[in-house]
Amino acid sequence: MEDNKGKRAVILTGLKHCGKSTVGKILAEKLGCPFYDTDSLIEKLAGKTARELYLEGGAELMARKETEACGEAAKYCGETEDGKFGPVISTGGAFSENPEAAGILRRAGVFVYIKADFGCLYARILKSAEKDGAMPAFLRGENPEASFREIYDARAKKYSSMADFSVPTDGESSPEDIAVQILRKLETSGNAG
């Protein structure tokens, strides 16, 4: 954990389907600040969704575009009125694998890890895959559950080590509850305005 004095952006991190975007919108509303989703910024800058980019050029292309999106998001960070937190930025599920992108946002904000358990996340991935008609490209193969377990274990460790603080969720917590937990931790961190 680093000294967060002067860092006002709130950077939400965590694995795919942990709720970063949903929680981020609620948190931004509670803080009275803008919300930015790096996946949406990727689509705006590249003209393609993160999924389309991954299918086109794999993890390498996705990481380049994510780095550009984080650079764009960082433009919106800076001193806020009355020392309040903001903006809230939601990152992609593979953010922990992109040190360049993480370095860009690290200079601007407090990293919050939304920590969800494996079973909850995998169930959400299956539900999303059923709706989309296919598993995400990075999980296509003989044993997607084992592949996700490997990814989960590696990324969870990275997210824990890069986070200024974590907020656990068991899948039962509502996005509102998670946002309130984050807000409380921000207020007690000594950085709130």
Side-chain angles (χ1 to χ4, degrees):
M1 188 187 313
E2 295 184 6
D3 175 19
N4 295 316
K5 190 173 182 181
K7 293 182 178 182
R8 309 315 293 171
V10 180
I11 318 298
L12 302 182
T13 69
L15 282 98
K16 184 175 183 64
H17 288 299
C18 71
K20 298 178 296 285
S21 296
T22 304
V23 170
K25 290 173 189 170
I26 295 167
L27 184 61
E29 187 175 316
K30 288 182 177 303
L31 289 168
C33 69
F35 169 74
Y36 301 101
D37 184 304
T38 58
D39 282 347
S40 296
L41 289 171
I42 287 169
E43 189 170 355
K44 179 182 169 189
L45 293 169
K48 296 179 182 179
T49 66
R51 184 174 280 212
E52 290 168 336
L53 288 167
Y54 189 92
L55 289 171
E56 181 182 305
E60 186 179 318
L61 176 61
M62 206 25 237
R64 278 199 319 267
K65 296 302 179 183
E66 179 178 52
T67 300
E68 290 174 22
C70 288
E72 184 70 17
K75 291 178 186 176
Y76 306 115
C77 301
E79 290 302 314
T80 57
E81 291 180 31
D82 301 325
K84 294 180 181 177
F85 279 101
V88 174
I89 300 169
S90 170
T91 61
F95 181 71
S96 66
E97 305 294 323
N98 190 339
E100 187 177 356
I104 290 168
L105 293 182
R106 169 53 73 195
R107 292 185 286 276
V110 177
F111 280 26
V112 179
Y113 171 33
I114 299 177
K115 185 178 182 178
D117 68 39
F118 173 83
C120 169
L121 294 179
Y122 192 67
R124 290 176 182 175
I125 287 171
L126 291 176
K127 186 176 180 181
S128 178
E130 186 177 314
K131 183 179 131 210
D132 296 340
M135 285 295 274
F138 73 98
L139 290 179
R140 293 182 189 160
E142 270 187 46
N143 193 339
E145 185 172 2
S147 296
F148 185 63
R149 169 56 80 181
E150 190 175 315
I151 290 167
Y152 177 90
D153 290 343
R155 290 184 183 169
K157 286 178 189 170
K158 288 181 182 178
Y159 280 125
S160 288
S161 69
M162 71 192 311
D164 292 296
F165 64 84
S166 298
V167 177
T169 174
D170 56 8
E172 300 296 318
S173 306
S174 72
E176 174 82 18
D177 290 341
I178 297 166
V180 168
Q181 285 182 59
I182 294 169
L183 195 55
R184 284 186 189 139
K185 287 195 176 198
L186 290 170
E187 289 169 350
T188 60
S189 70
N191 294 311

